Structure formats: structure tokens, C-alpha cells
Amino acid sequence: MKTSGVDNGLQSISFNQDCSRVAVGTKEGTRTYSCIPFELLNDNFGADAAIVAMHYSTDLAAHVGAGETAASSQRCLRLINSRKQKEITRRNYQEAILNVLLNRHRVVVVLEKTIYIYELKSMDHLHTIEEIPSNPAGIAALPTLNIPPEAQVGQDSATKKFNFLAYPNNSAEKGVVHVYDVQNLRAGPVIDAHNTRIACLSFNNDGTLLATASTKGTVFRLFSMPTGQRVYEFRRSVATNAMIYSMAFDMTSKLFCVSSDKPTIHVFKLDEREAPAADGSWSSYLTSTMQSAAAYLPTGVTDLLAQERSFAQINPKHGHNGNPTLCGICGSWPDDIYVLVATSEGILYRYNVNTEQGGECTYDIAYPLCDAAEPPVVPPVAPTDATTLSPPTVPLEDTAGDPADTPPKPEDTSALGTEATAADAQAPTADDHTASLHDEVMQHVDRDVEGPVADAETSSPPE
């Protein structure tokens, strides 16, 4: 997420795939923190960073600069080892890079009208999606495909995973989403998601659910993959529009959170649900009594009855003044689930979610992410032991939830996708005469992640 509205040196904030780490790009370099417990992991001074994309909990990261110099160009993608502060490889482009997405298999680079897809292990260029409708915000989504701990020790997961890329087609002033299978390099479903342009997209971990939000920011729709059928529809409230900044699932796809330019951050709870009937009627989700009544109601009213409200909410008193915020969900289900909220003001807030009762989330703690960030005001407390100090906490007051509007319901379109490969291929072994610093960095990543990045070429960037 690119920050704005505050002159504190921050240029971007991003979580890794499971929200266990947060990285900030500044005018002086980058910083990487562990979220729980909160601690500084890397502080890299040097070129400014407009985009920082982490690779799980490894030292591999993708950096894009914010200037025009060779060291910090907006048209240069650099893969680096953040701990050793050493460059692994780079790719140059003719236009500014707007977004970079990473998972276990692919690297996706988003320009305004072009998308490049690479094999992560070798950085081989696999495919280019050309002449896409103008996408100046670089809106795109890729599933994280994070492997749970039990799978990493040899237990196979029965959950299907789909490695899809989603990007908007806003050329017709409508919210159409194109889905592309980056694993098998073929087109997926085209989804008519909203009646207004797409503002935000997000996949769950397995790539089985795609969340969409429009520029009205009133309704959030979740589509089942690979069919593209709508299975959930959530709403903020009942009256005003909002600018959606971020959407995120927890790793189990049981919770879904949304941040916007309004004060309230909404958390929705997902139940087990099949895709809707072939006719796409939302009355199939109503009770038998409501189904009968729905036949006599206008379409907009029927949609409103079927749209679910947030299960839990966060109403921070200190707020973010409408500036961009990034939300994520981390922790262990069901007792230790936290919503993380990183603000353009440079503060990371943590809230505990009651997964049984929902309601107002409990404020936990807040941390500054940069030197210029103003820490929350804490009431003075006289410690009883000079060697034991509690971390700063901030009491929060409730504020009214933000309302929303009711957009007309579009019809769904669907198509078939394909399942991604479940296991990573083995990384190639470098010959002695090709061993280099590059190999050493990639072998370091090998120790941390199953199916690591292999040697990457450092030449022949795409035109």
C-alpha cells in the first residue's frame, strides 16, 4: 500500500503473506518488523523504496524505487536479500512499476497496461498480458499459497489451491474482473462483479475465494474459484460511499476484514457455503419465508435483505484521518486472532477479535513504524519495578460505524480454471563454475522455505 497525506518519510507499507511481518519503504531505505512479538528485524539504509514485497518469512524481498536514479528507479525491480543487503537480480521496464506480487511459484509485475509473469525459482519470463485496460493504480491480486506448519513437516493438505491472478477491466465504467491462471498460463473466468469500477481485489490463501470492492465501497462480493460464482455479499452499512484501501482474509478463510477512508474497520465472518444456484438468485440464501416474500419485493430490496453485516468492528479514536490504511489478520484460530492496522501516520495497531461473539474488537497495543511517527498518547503510569515496564497501550472510545449505499446487483459470469501444482519443483544445483554471491543468497532462502527460489538470471530484462 502506498501511503499519503502525512509528511513522515513513509512511502509504502506491506505485510508478508501470513501477516507475521510488516515492511515499510521510506525515503531513506526500508525497515522490516516482526508483528508478534513486535521487533525490528532489518533496517536497510540506501535507496528509497516505493514498493516492498516480502517473500513469506525469508530474507527475500522485491524492491521498487520512487525516483529516477539508477539506484531507485520506478522502472526497476530488484530482488534482494534484505538481511545481507545484497542484490540478487534486477529487471528494467519502459514504464513505472505499479505493483509487485509474490507467492511460492510466481512473481507478477504490474504496469499500467501490461502485466509480466515470472517463474520465481529462476526468474524466467513466462508470459506477458499485453494491452490490458488502463490500470493506473496497479490493482491486482495473487493468492499467498502459504503452507501450514503441518504440511511443511510432511503431512499433505487436502485443500485445493489455485494460483490465479486477478486484475480489473474498468474500460466500460463497470466493475469487471479478469482472472488468469498463472500456474498453467491460461485464461480463467471473467467476472461481472459491480456496476461501478473496481477499487480493490484480494484472494484468500488457497486462491479459492476472490473478494472484490468497487469505487462506491458499499458492498463487498466474494466469488468462488475456479467457477467465478458469487457466494458471499457483505455490506458496510446503509448510506454513504467509501474509498476502500485494503481487504484481507485470515489464513483459514474464516474471517475477512476491510479498511477504508471511514473510521470503522469491518470484520466479516465466513461460514461454510456452496456456490449459489444456477439462476444466480440471492433469494436462495434467505429462509423459506423470506424467499416467498422476496418474489414481491423490488430487486434492490431483495439484495439488501441478503447482504450480511460485519461480525466485528474496530472504531479507533485516534483514527487515520481518511489517509490510506492497510489491514491484515494474524494469529491462531480461534482464541488468538488479531487484526493488524497499519496507517499512513506510521503506526501499527493490534486488536483482538472475539471469534465467538464478535462485536467491538479489543484494543491490544500500538507501535511506531518510523522515527517520525508520533506514538499514541499514553496516560502516565508509575512502574513498580524500574526493570519491568509494560508496553504502551491506548484506550479507545467507540464511534459510530460508517453507513453505506445499495448498488444494483449485477449478474455473474463464470468459467473454469485449473488447479495449481501442489508441490514445488526441486531447485536446480548450480555448477561450480557458476557459483556466485547470487547462489549463496538463494541457498539462504532454501533453508527457510519449502520449494525455494533457484538461481535467477540477471540479464535480458523484458522490453
Side-chain angles (χ1 to χ4, degrees):
M1 176 197 74
K2 293 185 178 180
T3 61
S4 64
V6 183
D7 185 15
N8 56 5
L10 283 185
Q11 299 192 103
S12 68
I13 303 176
S14 60
F15 291 118
N16 69 343
Q17 284 78 359
D18 62 358
C19 292
S20 62
R21 293 187 178 188
V22 59
V24 295
T26 72
K27 295 179 180 179
E28 289 79 28
T30 63
R31 288 181 178 180
T32 306
Y33 298 88
S34 169
C35 293
I36 302 178
F38 185 83
E39 60 179 344
L40 179 64
L41 300 177
N42 297 301
D43 193 352
N44 300 332
F45 289 97
D48 54 4
I51 298 175
V52 183
M54 291 176 284
H55 184 258
Y56 303 92
S57 295
T58 73
D59 295 324
L60 179 67
H63 282 206
V64 177
E68 293 297 332
T69 65
S72 63
S73 172
Q74 302 175 64
R75 299 184 296 275
C76 179
L77 169 68
R78 300 168 58 238
L79 294 185
I80 69 168
N81 183 304
S82 58
R83 180 173 57 87
K84 295 184 177 181
Q85 302 187 35
K86 295 179 179 178
E87 181 177 306
I88 299 169
T89 185
R90 66 170 58 197
R91 294 290 185 272
N92 296 304
Y93 303 87
Q94 295 181 345
E95 299 177 3
I97 300 169
L98 302 176
N99 199 356
V100 178
L101 306 169
L102 302 178
N103 65 20
R104 289 186 172 274
H105 303 277
R106 297 291 182 259
V107 178
V108 176
V109 180
V110 182
L111 311 185
E112 182 174 354
K113 296 183 178 180
T114 310
I115 298 176
Y116 294 96
I117 301 171
Y118 299 90
E119 166 65 44
L120 177 65
K121 296 176 183 297
S122 62
M123 278 303 289
D124 287 340
H125 177 222
L126 300 178
H127 184 68
T128 301
I129 305 176
E130 299 179 303
E131 298 181 355
I132 66 173
S134 179
N135 184 16
I139 300 169
L142 192 71
T144 57
L145 301 182
N146 191 54
I147 298 177
E150 59 271 16
Q152 294 187 15
V153 297
Q155 298 181 10
D156 294 331
S157 173
T159 304
K160 291 185 178 180
K161 296 180 184 293
F162 298 99
N163 202 357
F164 288 129
L165 167 71
Y167 60 95
N169 179 350
N170 290 327
S171 60
E173 300 294 331
K174 293 188 65 177
V176 177
V177 179
H178 288 266
V179 177
Y180 187 84
D181 183 348
V182 297
Q183 193 68 32
N184 300 293
L185 304 179
R186 64 183 72 173
V190 177
I191 302 171
D192 188 3
H194 299 270
N195 281 353
T196 54
R197 293 186 171 193
I198 297 296
C200 192
L201 297 170
S202 180
F203 275 108
N204 68 338
N205 176 60
D206 299 329
T208 56
L209 288 174
L210 171 65
T212 67
S214 74
T215 51
K216 291 188 71 173
T218 56
V219 172
F220 316 107
R221 295 186 172 115
L222 276 59
F223 298 86
S224 176
M225 294 289 121
T227 62
Q229 288 184 292
R230 183 169 53 182
V231 290
Y232 296 92
E233 185 162 286
F234 299 121
R235 141 176 314 279
R236 285 175 29 250
S237 192
V238 291
T240 61
N241 297 346
M243 181 181 297
I244 304 303
Y245 291 133
S246 68
M247 303 186 296
F249 294 86
D250 76 315
M251 296 306 297
T252 63
S253 299
K254 295 179 180 178
L255 295 177
F256 169 69
C257 65
V258 178
S259 70
S260 70
D261 62 345
K262 305 301 181 184
T264 304
I265 294 172
H266 295 272
V267 181
F268 302 91
K269 193 171 186 179
L270 282 62
D271 54 15
E272 296 294 332
R273 182 175 298 182
E274 298 295 332
D279 63 1
S281 173
W282 280 100
S283 62
S284 59
Y285 291 137
L286 304 177
T287 63
S288 57
T289 302
M290 292 303 296
Q291 288 179 18
S292 300
Y296 301 96
L297 296 174
T299 301
V301 177
T302 304
D303 289 345
L304 183 61
L305 291 173
Q307 292 162 352
E308 301 178 34
R309 301 299 178 86
S310 56
F311 166 76
Q313 306 81 32
I314 296 172
N315 294 299
K317 176 179 173 57
H318 24 268
H320 48 78
N321 300 317
N323 298 321
T325 56
L326 182 68
C327 63
I329 304 176
C330 67
S332 301
W333 186 271
D335 298 326
D336 298 315
I337 293 293
Y338 298 93
V339 174
L340 303 176
V341 183
T343 70
S344 293
E345 286 75 12
I347 304 293
L348 177 67
Y349 298 99
R350 195 169 73 199
Y351 299 84
N352 182 264
V353 182
N354 186 324
T355 58
E356 293 296 329
Q357 300 178 359
E360 184 70 18
C361 296
T362 305
Y363 172 77
D364 185 25
I365 202 168
Y367 301 100
L369 295 175
C370 63
D371 296 335
E374 296 183 4
V377 178
V378 183
V381 178
T384 57
D385 186 348
T387 63
T388 305
L389 294 176
S390 300
T393 58
V394 182
L396 302 181
E397 296 179 4
D398 293 343
T399 59
D402 49 290
D405 199 2
T406 307
K409 180 179 74 65
E411 295 181 357
D412 295 323
T413 59
S414 61
L416 293 178
T418 52
E419 183 176 351
T421 304
D424 294 309
Q426 295 297 322
T429 302
D431 296 332
D432 292 338
H433 69 278
T434 60
S436 63
L437 172 62
H438 185 132
D439 304 323
E440 176 186 350
V441 173
M442 303 319 294
Q443 289 170 4
H444 175 78
V445 175
D446 289 359
R447 294 193 295 269
D448 295 332
V449 176
E450 180 183 351
V453 180
D455 299 334
E457 298 295 334
T458 58
S459 60
S460 302
E463 295 297 330

